[in-house]
Amino acid sequence: MHGLRFVGDDGDWEADLVLLTVDGFAVIEVKGGYVWYAAGEYHQRTPAGDKTSDLAEQALSEKYLVQRYLSRHPRWRHGAVRMAHFVALPDMDLAADADLGPGLPRSRVIAKQDLGRARDQIRRVLQGPLSRQPHRPPGPDAVDDAARLLGGVGDPQAELAALRSVRSEHLLRLATDQADVIDMVSYLSKYQVIGGPGSGKTFLAIEQARRWTKSGLRVGFIAYSRGLTTWVDRQTSDWPADMRRRLHVSTFHGLGSEWGVSASESAGQEEWELEIPRRMYELAMALPALRQFDALIVDESQDFGKLWWPALLASLADPEHGKLAIFGDGAQQIFGREGAPDLGVPPLQLRSNLRNTAEIGSLVNAMLPDSSMKLLGGRGPAVRFVQCAQDESIGAADDVAVALLEEGWSASDVVLLTTGHRHDMHRDTIARYGRDEYWALFWDAGDIFYSTVAGFKGLERPAVVIAVNGFLDLTAAHDTLLVGVSRARDQLVICGDAAEIRRFGGHELAKRLSLPPG
């Protein structure tokens, strides 16, 4: 510990450095500049001039300060502690036989050339003969107790709760400020917003929906992910009843189901991607006026196929003059679809990451083709990496998730994502409760949530654990990692094989994760 201040009725003092070890406690007075001993006094030459001090007495007094504080503390239970005092002169080289007076033998002076081996020097003194000091070393319990009493120990759960509260307020303020973007395009009936992970696209999409429904328009809010539409439903549930009636939130294929397009029991990729959108277009052309939209909002537009757009646009009461707002990010195309076609609408680009801490945001930037997103989310805990084989990644992630709970994260803060096949808990929950109830559990169960990265697109949680357990589509592996990393607001832990993450995440990601070379 450094800079420990002691305040008492007899004065105020400061100990520069205090080292607590199982061999004993060391108190170190640090003096910069050039120091020498002459005529019974210590002299120090600094850029501000020369001055004198009783250096040996200073170091000795600091040792007694620590001893007195601990011995008088009502929670100290270890009695007298083996201690020694030292002086550090980090700007000076000293010969082995240098003389700094009777109060400072060379063994108690840590000179410039000693800095790399200072711990060994201190250990030799603490393990050697020390006058008027206990023979028995303090041991680990005394070290832990002294650390608590001298340095203070916080409540991990309270600290994490404070972190979440401060970060939530900060993110809400940033997102609210960014709503000015909607003002900038208010004169446009159609526009497109392009932004990287964490740039606040969905917040803006919801804000646009609020303004359009408030003005009396019937608005369709369409996304690909059921998880995202569930979240939007929750976020808008407390709107005034008349506005909520004018807002229709649905997945693309859910919209088709409402119109009467049902998939066959053996539906494959071609049916979902091509045939159903074609049938939806035919039905959209004949929708009654009451089921048409005055405005459409498409979120996570990069997840939409080329043939999906004709059906969407045909659902507008006035396809030519109806309102359209598209929100997407071409860097998150994990489904291999084309995204939004060139509809001739003006684009607007978001250049700031609001969601992620700087520690997580730097990883996101490392994986983007243009790594210039401004990181506005503030500081947070360090990102962690757990090395393990691919087939051990889920087990490692389970251990990490449990450890996060022990550290003070609440279960509802934590999500465990897999990059490949589902976690057993994910599979079992859907089999037992069905997909709708599965997503309800995300909000209501107050437990660790399990999902794939693909299924969790557009969502976030304070703490995310990623099990890199392979990829269903190697061509989308990079974007899958990017999406997974960007889901974490405050704490991120990645469990997987360093070589695989380096291969698919890139050299810069590996460098920032401090992965071993390979």
Side-chain angles (χ1 to χ4, degrees):
M1 287 167 283
H2 65 88
L4 287 181
R5 293 184 179 274
F6 297 86
V7 178
D9 294 338
D10 52 351
D12 303 338
W13 296 269
E14 181 177 354
D16 288 339
L17 294 170
V18 177
L19 176 67
L20 310 175
T21 81
V22 293
D23 300 313
F25 297 173
V27 178
I28 307 168
E29 170 68 16
V30 182
K31 289 295 182 193
Y34 178 72
V35 175
W36 71 96
Y37 181 71
E41 291 185 316
Y42 292 94
H43 304 265
Q44 180 186 16
R45 177 159 296 162
T46 71
D50 292 355
K51 54 185 177 180
T52 61
S53 64
D54 193 341
L55 191 54
E57 180 63 27
Q58 257 186 291
L60 181 65
S61 297
E62 290 171 15
K63 178 180 72 174
Y64 289 138
L65 282 173
V66 176
Q67 283 183 334
R68 183 177 69 175
Y69 179 82
L70 291 176
S71 65
R72 293 180 179 180
H73 199 288
R75 292 201 297 274
W76 182 252
R77 54 192 174 90
H78 303 282
V81 182
R82 189 170 177 80
M83 297 185 69
H85 61 282
F86 298 81
V87 169
L89 306 174
D91 298 327
M92 287 181 60
D93 285 317
L94 281 179
D97 59 352
D99 181 13
L100 283 179
L104 280 180
R106 181 64 179 85
S107 63
R108 301 295 185 93
V109 180
I110 303 170
K112 183 177 181 179
Q113 74 267 33
D114 303 326
L115 294 177
R117 51 181 182 272
R119 175 63 191 270
D120 293 335
Q121 179 179 341
I122 293 170
R123 181 186 285 116
R124 284 194 298 272
V125 171
L126 290 172
Q127 291 179 345
L130 289 173
S131 62
R132 297 197 295 273
Q133 293 295 320
H135 292 293
R136 177 182 294 179
D141 288 345
V143 170
D144 289 343
D145 287 350
R148 291 187 182 93
L149 298 181
L150 292 171
V153 174
D155 179 343
Q157 197 157 8
E159 290 176 4
L160 287 172
L163 167 68
R164 293 194 299 272
S165 176
V166 170
R167 286 263 303 139
S168 294
E169 292 179 9
H170 177 63
L171 297 183
L172 180 60
R173 187 165 58 253
L174 288 174
T176 302
D177 290 344
Q178 198 179 39
D180 292 345
V181 171
I182 303 297
D183 294 330
M184 295 169 57
V185 295
S186 59
Y187 65 95
L188 296 173
S189 61
K190 295 180 174 65
Y191 67 90
Q192 180 174 8
V193 173
I194 303 167
S199 57
K201 297 184 297 297
T202 299
F203 176 88
L204 290 178
I206 292 175
E207 174 61 16
Q208 182 62 88
R210 187 188 69 81
R211 297 187 186 192
W212 279 345
T213 55
K214 188 176 181 180
S215 71
L217 300 180
R218 175 172 163 77
V219 178
F221 192 113
I222 313 301
Y224 173 70
S225 161
R226 187 182 303 215
L228 179 56
T229 56
T230 303
W231 184 79
V232 173
D233 256 331
R234 294 274 178 143
Q235 293 297 109
T236 58
S237 61
D238 60 350
W239 286 7
D242 60 329
M243 290 172 56
R244 195 62 186 83
R245 280 194 299 270
R246 287 193 288 271
L247 178 67
H248 186 77
V249 181
S250 175
T251 64
F252 174 77
H253 290 104
L255 197 62
S257 180
E258 295 172 25
W259 294 347
V261 180
S262 57
S264 65
E265 292 185 5
S266 59
Q269 189 76 2
E270 184 175 350
E271 183 173 346
W272 286 109
E273 299 289 341
L274 305 178
E275 294 177 20
I276 289 178
R278 288 194 188 103
R279 283 152 55 194
M280 286 177 62
Y281 172 73
E282 294 170 359
L283 290 172
M285 294 294 289
L287 280 176
L290 289 177
R291 300 189 66 183
Q292 292 176 325
F293 300 114
D294 302 310
L296 273 176
I297 295 172
V298 180
D299 196 15
E300 298 288 319
S301 63
Q302 72 276 0
D303 297 338
F304 284 59
K306 183 178 180 180
L307 292 182
W308 301 13
W309 293 91
L312 284 174
L313 297 177
S315 69
L316 285 169
D318 185 346
E320 184 177 353
H321 300 102
K323 294 185 178 296
L324 174 67
I326 303 171
F327 299 82
D329 174 18
Q332 299 184 66
Q333 290 181 307
I334 66 176
F335 298 112
R337 300 193 183 100
E338 300 88 347
D342 183 5
L343 300 175
V345 298
L348 184 70
Q349 189 155 28
L350 305 178
R351 304 293 300 175
S352 298
N353 183 328
L354 314 183
R355 176 201 299 141
N356 308 124
T357 62
E359 290 79 0
I360 299 169
S362 69
L363 300 186
V364 173
N365 271 358
M367 300 181 71
L368 292 173
D370 177 5
S371 60
S372 60
M373 287 189 73
K374 295 179 182 178
L375 305 179
L376 304 182
R379 306 294 302 188
V383 175
R384 308 180 204 173
F385 171 71
V386 177
Q387 168 63 36
C388 58
Q390 183 186 117
D391 59 357
E392 298 173 348
S393 61
I394 289 183
D398 283 334
D399 293 341
V400 168
V402 172
L404 288 177
L405 303 186
E406 294 171 351
E407 291 173 17
W409 295 94
S410 66
S412 59
D413 288 332
V414 181
V415 63
L416 192 158
L417 302 178
T418 56
T419 59
H421 62 79
R422 294 172 177 170
H423 190 288
D424 286 345
M425 287 292 293
H426 181 185
R427 186 184 300 109
D428 293 347
T429 303
I430 290 179
R432 178 178 298 183
Y433 299 107
R435 290 187 178 275
D436 291 339
E437 185 62 23
Y438 163 76
W439 282 110
L441 290 172
F442 173 63
W443 308 107
D444 301 329
D447 203 352
I448 295 173
F449 191 74
Y450 299 85
S451 180
T452 61
V453 170
F456 208 69
K457 276 187 94 280
L459 301 175
E460 62 180 53
R461 262 203 175 173
V464 170
V465 184
I466 302 176
V468 185
N469 64 330
F471 301 93
L472 302 181
D473 179 0
L474 292 183
T475 63
H478 179 276
D479 286 0
T480 300
L481 278 177
L482 170 62
V483 171
V485 166
S486 66
R487 298 307 96 192
R489 272 179 34 193
D490 307 316
Q491 177 70 75
L492 172 66
V493 187
I494 302 174
C495 304
D497 180 66
E500 186 174 30
I501 293 170
R502 180 184 299 276
R503 175 187 174 192
F504 294 112
H507 172 74
E508 190 60 32
L509 175 68
K511 178 181 176 182
R512 298 190 192 189
L513 282 174
S514 299
L515 300 184

